[in-house]
Amino acid sequence: MDKKLLESLYYKYYKEIVLYLYSLSRSRELAEDLAQETFLKAILSLPKKQSNLRAWLYAVARNLFYNDYKKQKRVTYMDELPESADPQQGDLLSEILRGERDRLLYDAMLQLDVRKREILMMHYFSGMPMKEIAAVLKLTTENVKVLACRGKREIRNYMEAHGYDIS
């Protein structure tokens, strides 16, 4: 792989890959480690005819996370937030997301099932189009759109239940 291409990919996508992996793992250290491994894998095995490098990086990151999860059987996996976890203790998203409404929105995202959360994280935090998300998750574009719509509805209901008017 061309060193300049890898370098540009790294600077362009590293933060969003870490954020995506953090949304899955809820561990800053694991997210950063897996992001590094994602780019290492890019150095070693980028397909020659890969047209969408961003989607490929997300797919690699996702596969690395699930492989690691299977090996480690991590307790802090997606739908299980440990009671001791405090978003005010300087974790990655607390540094990124400021303000009560953003934290509430993040809490609403955590309430979603894994697939909906992944779709919305990729779409809103990484700006990926639905077609790319469908390629990463190996779903149809229509299925991704339906899941995104349902996820947004669940977030809206959560926010409204906590006193925010989302009109």
Side-chain angles (χ1 to χ4, degrees), residues 147-166:
L147 290 170
C149 184
R150 289 178 184 166
K152 288 188 276 188
R153 185 179 329 119
E154 289 175 31
I155 288 173
R156 185 179 336 108
N157 292 341
Y158 184 92
M159 297 291 283
E160 287 173 351
H162 287 83
Y164 283 92
D165 181 29
I166 312 292

Side-chain angles (χ1 to χ4, degrees), residues 2 19 42 44 46 53 57 89 94 98-99 109 114 155:
D2 181 11
L19 184 60
L44 300 174
L46 180 67
L53 295 175
L57 286 171
Q89 291 180 344
S94 289
R98 302 282 184 224
M109 294 275 298
V114 175
I155 288 173

Side-chain angles (χ1 to χ4, degrees), residues 119-120 130 143-153:
I119 290 168
L120 293 177
M130 296 295 177
N143 195 345
V144 169
K145 288 178 182 178
V146 167
L147 290 170
C149 184
R150 289 178 184 166
K152 288 188 276 188
R153 185 179 329 119

Side-chain angles (χ1 to χ4, degrees), residues 15-46:
K15 284 183 182 178
E16 66 183 68
I17 293 291
V18 169
L19 184 60
Y20 171 65
L21 288 165
Y22 182 82
S23 77
L24 296 175
S25 68
R26 297 190 186 162
S27 165
R28 181 181 186 160
E29 293 79 20
L30 179 61
E32 290 172 347
D33 288 346
L34 291 176
Q36 292 293 332
E37 200 172 330
T38 298
F39 286 94
L40 175 63
K41 194 165 192 123
I43 292 170
L44 300 174
S45 64
L46 180 67

